[in-house]
Amino acid sequence: MALDQGTTSSRAIIFNDEGEIVKVAQNEFTQYYPNKGWVEHDPMEIWGTQSGVAREVLETAGIRPGEIAAIGITNQRETTIVWDKVTGRPIYNAIVWQCRRTADICDDLKKRGLEDYVRDNTGLVIDAYFSGTKIKWILDNVEGAREKAENGELLFGNVDTWLIWNLTRGKVHVTDYSNASRTMIYNIKELKWDEKLLKELDIPASMLPEVKQSSEIYGVTDPHTFGGAEIPIAGIAGDQQAALFGQACFEAGMAKNTYGTGCFMLMNTGEEMIPSKNGLITTIAWGVNGKVEYALEGSIFVAGAIVQWLRDELKIISDASDSEYFATKVEDNNGVYIVPAFVGLGAPYWDMYARGTVVGLTRGSNRNHIIRAALESIAYQTRDVLEAMQEDSGIKLQSLKVDGGAVANNFLMQFQSNILSVDVDRPEIIETTALGAAYLAGLAVGFWKDKQEISDKWRIETRFKPIMEEEEKEKLYRGWKRAVKRSLDWAKEE
Ligand SMILES: Nc1ncnc2c1ncn2[C@@H]1O[C@H](COP(=O)(O)OP(=O)(O)O)[C@@H](O)[C@H]1O
Ligand SMILES: O=P(O)(O)OC[C@H](O)CO
């Protein structure tokens, strides 16, 4: 059973030994936007929805908890939770990866000349995206928090750690290499929490979880959680790394792109840590069988979320899947571009102060052009990161494996292939994140033998081939680049 705790929903999926989906249960939860550019979740709601769907999926599948071979955890990354060690209660809401409230702490770190140090030791750029500055914000802003933290009374965790703490009723405080590598306080070369950065951010080491491999038994579920069963918790990976695993990208040079709330392209670089010169980040893919492997990553903050925005805020579609219908009712974007920099821009721009823009509107622009421009923005952002990735790795991709909720959109996938000029391969199972977590857990308990067995199970469903004229494609992409320029730095002047 995979527990996939995403940015907008909690999902539990049961897989069989063929790696096929037996049953899914899913529940969306509340997003809080308490201030401009701020995003929070309620950690208790995260736990409530996640444990709820886990119980629901067992019930609807008619499977007893004791029949589950192992649980694999995968999660929205970077999102930061701090809780009281004794009561188990969070002292503040979860500060979500998208939240920009710590931009000024980041500016201060940059002023202190830490950019090179952070890049060389954590693989990251200094940005409000990562957990380190979020922990500092909680300790600085919640009354009494710093004192408690210094007395060893508080614990920090990303969502994986929080779920395991609750699944084991406070017995286990762990994370894995892939999640640790997203905190900006973990040294990915030396594989330990980075003392210098902990000092710079004033974070007591006593709060931090133990960092383990991505595939091993961390503990068992508390008997109260699943009707007396003690199920081994045997896999952890951040959702993007889990998707890389689920897509069987086991060899250096293999890459995938996941289209969920955001969009994240990862390329496996094996045991080699490749530093980026083109605005990507270096991250840990996983630690399996005593070996840590790395990846290059292009992190795009808003992808499927723009479709949710069309639905929930503009209310010009009523379901995410309607976007395909309306986008194909027009021939082209009619010159309209949307840059969905709602929470700044991630790779390769890294501008915490960029904000969303719609440009190129004329009297003839209509709803369909806006919807089309929204979908196209996902594909242009992907081209930005693919180009950076090819430069950094020296590898020219012939095809791109895709997954995540938004790849159900055929228009988006065809347009993606056109704009990249590469084949886009959609597998039979697009829930690759959950599948990767299940594989990691299953490997640890011997449910599957090895990575080869997993690779053999990967099946393509559709290959989208590029069909757009070169000139047309480049013209569209040039328009995108011009639109991006209009969005940069917008919030700085405030
Ligand atoms: N047919 C579709 N076309 C475009 N976007 C879609 C479609 N179906 C789902 N999405 C988008 O995909 C996202 C959900 O994908 P999912 O992989 O579940 O994301 P997450 O794990 O980030 O919560 C949502 O942002 C939704 O708007
Ligand atoms: O919720 P998702 O699937 O968009 O993933 C969020 C990422 O892990 C953020 O880094």
Side-chain angles (χ1 to χ4, degrees):
M1 175 161 69
L3 304 185
D4 176 4
Q5 209 302 304
T7 311
T8 56
S9 75
S10 299
R11 261 194 299 260
I13 305 187
I14 297 177
F15 292 94
N16 64 18
D17 56 1
E18 285 305 309
E20 295 161 346
I21 293 178
V22 174
K23 207 84 192 171
V24 184
Q26 175 168 5
N27 201 350
E28 287 203 7
F29 57 89
T30 321
Q31 308 288 316
Y32 296 95
Y33 307 108
N35 235 319
K36 255 191 275 174
W38 291 29
V39 190
E40 294 180 2
H41 295 155
D42 173 358
M44 297 314 291
E45 196 182 356
I46 288 182
W47 166 239
T49 52
Q50 191 61 71
S51 51
V53 290
R55 278 190 284 268
E56 181 188 331
V57 79
L58 288 165
E59 245 174 68
T60 52
I63 290 172
R64 279 178 287 109
E67 292 178 279
I68 296 293
I71 290 179
I73 308 281
T74 182
N75 54 291
Q76 52 164 322
R77 307 166 303 167
E78 299 94 16
T79 296
T80 297
I81 305 173
V82 175
W83 66 93
D84 185 301
K85 203 176 185 169
V86 177
T87 64
R89 300 293 300 185
I91 62 160
Y92 192 77
N93 266 346
I95 302 187
V96 177
W97 58 276
Q98 297 166 318
C99 187
R100 305 285 89 190
R101 82 184 61 190
T102 57
D104 57 341
I105 304 180
C106 294
D107 288 340
D108 185 51
L109 293 176
K110 287 181 189 169
K111 270 192 217 127
R112 275 146 62 187
L114 284 161
E115 271 172 297
D116 288 347
Y117 184 87
V118 167
R119 181 176 285 287
D120 293 347
N121 293 283
T122 69
L124 308 176
V125 296
I126 296 178
D127 193 272
Y129 177 28
F130 306 106
S131 316
T133 58
K134 300 182 197 289
I135 306 174
K136 178 176 168 54
W137 190 95
I138 293 177
L139 297 184
D140 288 346
N141 289 278
V142 176
E143 212 187 318
R146 183 160 295 288
E147 199 188 339
K148 277 186 146 185
E150 271 154 18
N151 291 339
E153 294 167 39
L154 297 183
L155 297 178
F156 150 75
N158 293 122
V159 171
D160 58 318
T161 306
W162 171 242
L163 291 178
I164 294 176
W165 173 265
N166 281 287
L167 283 166
T168 61
R169 283 218 172 181
K171 285 198 197 73
V172 180
H173 186 228
V174 295
T175 188
D176 84 307
Y177 290 122
S178 70
N179 276 292
S181 73
R182 317 299 300 183
T183 57
M184 218 178 81
I185 48 174
Y186 191 71
N187 192 307
I188 63 168
K189 286 200 294 210
E190 295 176 11
L191 301 179
K192 59 181 186 85
W193 296 111
D194 190 283
E195 278 165 32
K196 179 177 165 69
L197 290 171
L198 289 179
K199 212 157 154 215
E200 294 285 349
L201 287 164
D202 221 351
I203 297 172
S206 60
M207 300 177 71
L208 306 174
E210 189 183 345
V211 184
K212 301 257 195 177
Q213 296 198 69
S214 314
S215 178
E216 66 173 76
I217 300 175
Y218 313 98
V220 295
T221 56
D222 184 86
H224 290 92
T225 314
F226 296 112
E230 295 189 331
I231 311 169
I233 305 166
I236 312 177
D239 55 9
Q240 303 309 323
Q241 288 93 331
L244 190 70
F245 203 84
Q247 288 271 28
C249 292
F250 299 140
E251 308 293 327
M254 294 176 88
K256 67 86 203 179
N257 198 28
T258 301
Y259 301 71
T261 304
C263 199
F264 299 87
M265 190 185 294
L266 270 76
M267 179 186 277
N268 185 331
T269 62
E271 286 176 82
E272 196 187 352
M273 242 179 82
I274 299 184
S276 175
K277 293 194 175 67
N278 296 285
L280 303 181
I281 54 178
T282 308
T283 200
I284 296 181
W286 46 67
V288 176
N289 288 336
K291 200 167 86 178
V292 167
E293 293 185 287
Y294 295 89
L296 268 173
E297 174 175 319
S299 329
I300 296 165
F301 294 157
V302 172
I306 183 112
V307 180
Q308 286 175 328
W309 179 74
L310 298 176
R311 183 193 66 186
D312 301 338
E313 259 64 45
L314 291 195
K315 301 190 196 300
I316 56 175
I317 53 174
S318 52
D319 190 272
S321 60
D322 297 344
S323 60
E324 179 169 353
Y325 171 78
F326 290 112
T328 50
K329 276 178 80 170
V330 284
E331 293 270 294
D332 55 32
N333 65 12
N334 197 17
V336 179
Y337 287 86
I338 300 184
V339 183
F342 297 152
V343 292
L345 285 172
Y349 306 102
W350 298 107
D351 182 349
M352 295 183 286
Y353 300 100
R355 287 296 178 268
T357 50
V358 185
V359 295
L361 293 174
T362 57
R363 181 62 185 80
S365 308
N366 64 34
R367 166 169 90 157
N368 300 335
H369 297 124
I370 302 271
I371 294 169
R372 187 169 175 124
L375 290 176
E376 288 188 1
S377 74
I378 303 173
Y380 298 131
Q381 293 184 95
T382 294
R383 174 153 166 189
D384 291 340
V385 297
L386 183 94
E387 288 191 347
M389 196 157 276
Q390 295 192 146
E391 278 285 305
D392 277 337
S393 66
I395 294 171
K396 175 113 182 60
L397 283 188
Q398 300 307 317
S399 67
L400 181 66
K401 290 179 166 187
V402 298
D403 56 76
V407 304
N409 191 309
N410 290 318
F411 163 76
L412 173 61
M413 291 299 100
Q414 184 57 57
F415 188 77
Q416 183 68 89
S417 174
N418 292 349
I419 284 296
L420 297 179
S421 288
V422 303
D423 293 349
V424 167
D425 290 346
R426 184 168 66 191
E428 277 176 9
I429 296 198
I430 62 169
E431 293 278 4
T432 319
T433 296
L435 182 60
Y439 281 151
L440 285 164
L443 283 175
V445 296
F447 189 76
W448 288 292
K449 199 165 82 241
D450 52 23
K451 286 186 191 162
Q452 188 56 50
E453 189 184 352
I454 290 170
S455 294
D456 293 344
K457 295 186 194 303
W458 189 89
R459 303 251 185 286
I460 192 169
E461 182 242 19
T462 307
R463 166 165 286 183
F464 296 87
K465 294 180 96 48
I467 48 172
M468 190 180 271
E469 295 292 332
E470 181 70 15
E471 200 181 315
E472 165 80 354
K473 174 189 76 163
E474 292 310 315
K475 188 170 156 231
L476 282 168
Y477 187 59
R478 277 198 304 276
W480 163 255
K481 290 298 230 187
R482 288 198 298 134
V484 168
K485 278 195 199 139
R486 305 302 195 269
S487 76
L488 297 177
D489 246 357
W490 181 259
K492 195 129 207 187
E493 293 191 6
E494 275 181 30

